[in-house]
Amino acid sequence: MLRKSIVAIGVLSLIGVLLWGGKSNMPNQRSEHIRTIAITQIVDHPSLNQARTGLIAALKDAGYQEGDNLKIIYQTPHGNLSVAAQISKQFNYLDADVVVAISTPSAQSVLAANSNQHAIVFASVTDPVAANLLEPNVTGTTESPPIEELITLVKELHPDAKSIGIVYNPGETNSVKSVEKIKSSTDLKVIEAPVSNSMEIAQSTNAIIEQVDIIILPSDNTVWSGLEKLTSIAKAHQIPVYTNDPDSIYKGVTIALGYAQYDVGYDAGQKVIKILNGEKPSNIPVSTPKKKSLYINQESCDAVLLNVPSHVLVNADVVMKKGGSQS
């Protein structure tokens, strides 16, 4: 226990050194030609990384180039909420133009520590109202999932389905809201499989797999971390898996309809640019990206014996074929 404590202290100390080191390299008066963006996201995984990539792309398209007129400070707590709080406290004392928080837990943590009233832009947040993020110095891009449209697609592809399984972490605000929306958007029987960590995913999925015709997943960080276990079990039982997170098809999900994380990040980046140009966050409305994306994993469809109609395939933004190739 003592050794773990020492290691934890060491990690937090290192974070402090990195962050304060980044600040000490800056002049006492921040150059008007160099802007500083501090970014944190709750965990390092491909979906949220795509949001960060989109954010940086938007900045680059607007003429902000890292190493030239832009400095980016990036930290992730790797899912540890205590470390997330420490990062947020360090960010509070940075001389940053904008603090960007990717994911709901990161946004909540950054806002709680923001006594210096930095401008905050969030991304990859499902419900900023439920997460209590709507403060005067905060704006961002929500990925509020088009659940009704997904349910409509599910009904079209599975007209004989009678039950839906949902695996989620009740501790994640985004997931709870999405589950409530799924239940209110369908007359099918809903069977819930709550988990508190990724180690429980296989057991919880196995517990409901014989009782459901379809699995629908909310955008859940806990489930994402064990998503390949879940989709492997579903394939073995020929149960299709749907979600509103397009990037999840790369982990075996059958079909996804929602906002691509790159687009979420790009939209958030455009809000960062407005703040850099002098606009106040309170004057920049929270919004969703303009475009929804339909991603289909053809290999997963074949595994669960799902024949996707041609009119659905032709409207797909991405069809991932066997071996990972896309069309």
Side-chain angles (χ1 to χ4, degrees):
M1 181 65 72
L2 177 60
R3 184 174 179 179
K4 289 182 179 179
S5 300
I6 292 172
V7 171
I9 292 170
V11 169
L12 297 179
S13 298
L14 177 59
I15 290 169
V17 169
L18 288 171
L19 293 174
W20 286 108
K23 183 179 179 181
S24 65
N25 290 332
M26 297 295 290
N28 290 332
Q29 296 295 322
R30 184 171 64 242
S31 167
E32 64 181 4
H33 302 296
I34 300 177
R35 315 310 292 270
T36 300
I37 308 297
I39 304 173
T40 184
Q41 69 185 51
I42 190 62
V43 68
D44 182 24
H45 68 59
S47 184
L48 296 183
N49 290 349
Q50 279 293 306
R52 192 169 80 252
T53 298
L55 175 91
I56 294 171
L59 289 165
K60 185 176 181 179
D61 288 347
Y64 292 100
Q65 180 69 47
E66 188 176 7
D68 181 12
N69 58 354
L70 177 67
K71 179 175 183 178
I72 295 176
I73 298 170
Y74 169 68
Q75 291 291 334
T76 173
H78 299 290
N80 187 315
L81 294 180
S82 296
V83 177
Q86 289 297 320
I87 291 173
S88 297
K89 289 176 182 177
Q90 297 287 358
F91 276 14
N92 180 50
Y93 291 103
L94 284 178
D95 193 15
D97 293 282
V98 184
V99 176
V100 178
I102 301 175
S103 78
T104 298
S106 291
Q108 290 174 320
S109 178
V110 166
L111 180 58
N114 194 39
S115 61
N116 284 331
Q117 299 299 303
H118 284 299
I120 297 172
V121 174
F122 61 75
S124 305
V125 169
T126 299
D127 191 335
V129 176
N132 297 313
L133 295 177
L134 300 187
E135 297 290 337
N137 60 324
V138 181
T139 187
T141 301
T142 174
E143 55 175 3
S144 181
I147 288 173
E148 294 94 339
E149 293 179 48
L150 182 65
I151 294 292
T152 298
L153 179 61
V154 166
K155 287 183 176 180
E156 178 184 353
L157 299 182
H158 307 276
D160 297 325
K162 293 181 172 57
S163 59
I164 294 172
I166 305 178
V167 183
Y168 73 106
N169 181 355
E172 294 193 26
T173 303
N174 286 348
S175 299
V176 172
K177 295 294 290 186
S178 293
V179 170
E180 291 173 354
K181 194 69 174 290
I182 292 169
K183 291 166 72 173
S184 66
S185 300
T186 182
D187 55 1
L188 300 180
K189 181 180 181 180
V190 174
I191 300 174
E192 299 178 33
V195 298
S196 59
N197 58 68
S198 60
M199 300 299 293
E200 297 177 358
I201 289 174
Q203 180 180 356
S204 293
T205 303
N206 278 317
I208 67 167
I209 200 69
E210 299 286 355
Q211 307 172 55
V212 303
D213 299 308
I214 300 156
I215 291 176
I216 298 180
L217 302 176
S219 297
D220 187 295
N221 293 310
T222 303
V223 172
W224 176 274
S225 62
L227 188 53
E228 287 166 318
K229 297 177 186 176
L230 188 156
T231 55
S232 177
I233 294 168
K235 285 179 186 178
H237 290 79
Q238 297 182 342
I239 301 296
V241 179
Y242 291 80
T243 178
N244 287 122
D245 179 7
D247 297 302
S248 64
I249 69 161
Y250 304 112
K251 284 182 172 282
V253 163
T254 314
I255 295 179
L257 174 63
Y259 300 104
Q261 287 298 316
Y262 181 93
D263 295 335
V264 171
Y266 196 96
D267 190 85
Q270 292 178 317
K271 292 177 172 63
V272 171
I273 293 161
K274 289 181 179 180
I275 294 171
L276 295 180
N277 290 339
E279 289 193 45
K280 295 181 179 180
S282 58
N283 293 331
I284 305 172
V286 172
S287 64
T288 57
K290 295 179 177 64
K291 180 181 182 296
K292 301 183 187 77
S293 297
L294 175 63
Y295 284 23
I296 298 174
N297 185 325
Q298 187 62 61
E299 185 176 5
S300 294
C301 290
D302 294 342
V304 300
L305 306 180
L306 174 61
N307 183 25
V308 181
S310 58
H311 73 273
V312 175
L313 284 171
V314 76
N315 287 318
D317 297 273
V318 171
V319 177
M320 190 176 78
K321 299 179 180 179
K322 188 173 182 178
S325 64
Q326 297 181 10
S327 62

